[in-house]
Structures are given as structure tokens and as C-alpha cells.
Amino acid sequence: MHEEKREYSYADYLSWTEDFCCEAIDGHIIAMSPSPTPKHQDVVAELTAEFKMFLRGKECMAFSAPIDVCLFASKETKHDDIKDWVQPDLLVVCDPNKIGEKYITGAPDLTVEVLSPSTTKNDRQIKFKSYEKAGVKEYWIVDPHHMSVEVYELDGDAYIQKGIFVREDQLKVGLFEGFEIDLKNVFKE
């Protein structure tokens, strides 16, 4: 599509006129995903609903894809200097200064990626390392096929796995006291 150049900036991405969604790390495009499946979208919608209800009236906000997150940027960063942008399936931001008019700048407090065959490697390796480096406090990898959620929490500058949760579990959200998700509501038989 835009193969003539090997490295891209967020300014390049914003200049493309066609309806084109992509993600980039270090200026290299890592994902141009096909439309998600109904099962994938249902899991994202259920998780988003859980977060939206819990966070209603609180300072933190939940967003679901598509929304651009410029991981290592601030509001002052020029678009030409932004080389990393992603579109997590779900994210939570607790610092209102990171919420721009068109995109999020800096690391969200929590990101959730719902696996699909075309994104598994990116979600488990490339994005995992980027979220860790950016300082995302909590990262969930959700597998709709196996009905599981892997939870990673930042400990210093590295993620540690807090657990793998399945459909029968109540998942306590580490960032928020008193917030549990009944995974039966997320993963339907």
C-alpha cells in the first residue's frame, strides 16, 4: 500500500487519504488487520461494557478500538516525530491530559488485546515489549478461542504475569479496588 518507504511517522499516517488503519512500532508498520470476527468483537464489547460501567463517574476513562494511542508521545510531540502508534482493542486512561481531541498520547494505564490469528504474534511479542517499555501498568492478552485472559502487571520496568483466568473465574482488576469481572459474562458458550 505505502511500500515505497520503510519508516513512517504519524504525520505520514494522517496524510493517507484512503480509509486505512494501521499500527506502527519504531516507524515500521506492524499491523493492517482484516475486520475482526463477531466473536472477537463480542468479547471486546463485553469487556468495554464492564469497564465503562465501573468507571462511570470516575476520573479514568475506557476506550475501545479504533482509537490511536501514540505510546511515547506527549501533546507537544510533533506528528513527524511520532514513530509508534497502536490501536488496542480496549484501553483505560486515568490522566485526562493524555486524552487529546483525536488520539491518546503516552501510555494508557491498562491495555487489552483480544487475539485473532493475524495478530497473535504482534500482541504477544511486539506490542507486549512496546507496552512494557512505554510503562503501561497492566496488560491483558485475551484469547477468545480458549476463553482465557492473561494478566501482566508492570513491576519496575518489566511485566510479571499475575495469572491466567478462564471463563469460570472472577477476574480482579489490579488497578481498581473492588472491581471484579465475571468472565462468564465475557466468554459465552
Side-chain angles (χ1 to χ4, degrees), residues 47-67:
L47 282 170
T48 302
E50 295 281 344
F51 276 93
K52 284 286 198 187
M53 290 303 294
F54 180 81
L55 294 173
R56 184 172 283 164
K58 296 178 174 70
E59 187 171 280
C60 299
M61 291 184 68
F63 300 92
S64 57
I67 186 169

Side-chain angles (χ1 to χ4, degrees), residues 15-33:
S15 74
W16 298 333
T17 53
E18 62 262 37
D19 188 17
F20 176 70
C21 285
C22 71
E23 298 174 297
I25 300 294
D26 291 329
H28 300 282
I29 294 182
I30 61 161
M32 294 179 288
S33 298

Side-chain angles (χ1 to χ4, degrees), residues 13-181:
Y13 173 61
L14 294 176
S15 74
W16 298 333
T17 53
E18 62 262 37
D19 188 17
F20 176 70
C21 285
C22 71
E23 298 174 297
I25 300 294
D26 291 329
H28 300 282
I29 294 182
I30 61 161
M32 294 179 288
S33 298
S35 295
T37 64
K39 187 174 193 172
H40 177 282
Q41 289 303 84
D42 187 54
V43 168
V44 172
E46 291 293 349
L47 282 170
T48 302
E50 295 281 344
F51 276 93
K52 284 286 198 187
M53 290 303 294
F54 180 81
L55 294 173
R56 184 172 283 164
K58 296 178 174 70
E59 187 171 280
C60 299
M61 291 184 68
F63 300 92
S64 57
I67 186 169
D68 293 334
V69 177
C70 300
L71 283 173
F72 302 100
S74 69
K75 285 189 176 175
E76 292 74 38
T77 307
K78 290 181 173 58
H79 290 160
D80 284 326
D81 296 329
I82 297 172
K83 303 294 183 190
D84 299 79
W85 64 92
V86 292
Q87 293 186 346
D89 288 308
L90 172 64
L91 61 126
V92 174
V93 178
C94 295
D95 179 353
N97 294 317
K98 292 182 177 183
I99 303 168
E101 194 172 308
K102 297 194 175 196
Y103 54 90
I104 306 295
T105 55
D109 293 86
L110 180 142
T111 57
V112 176
E113 294 290 357
V114 178
L115 298 177
S116 60
S118 65
T119 66
T120 297
K121 182 178 180 184
N122 289 343
D123 295 339
R124 290 194 175 282
Q125 295 176 10
I126 298 168
K127 285 178 156 185
F128 184 98
K129 289 178 187 150
S130 290
Y131 292 152
E132 189 176 60
K133 183 178 167 189
V136 175
K137 294 174 191 161
E138 198 166 323
Y139 177 39
W140 296 8
I141 298 175
V142 179
D143 184 339
H145 180 70
H146 294 103
M147 297 189 188
S148 66
V149 180
E150 298 169 38
V151 175
Y152 297 90
E153 288 183 6
L154 205 57
D155 184 12
D157 58 1
Y159 280 135
I160 55 168
Q161 190 180 69
K162 296 305 270 186
I164 299 175
F165 303 88
V166 295
R167 186 177 184 276
E168 293 72 32
D169 291 332
Q170 296 283 327
L171 173 49
K172 290 183 180 173
V173 182
L175 283 179
F176 304 109
E177 187 73 34
F179 182 20
E180 284 188 13
I181 297 173

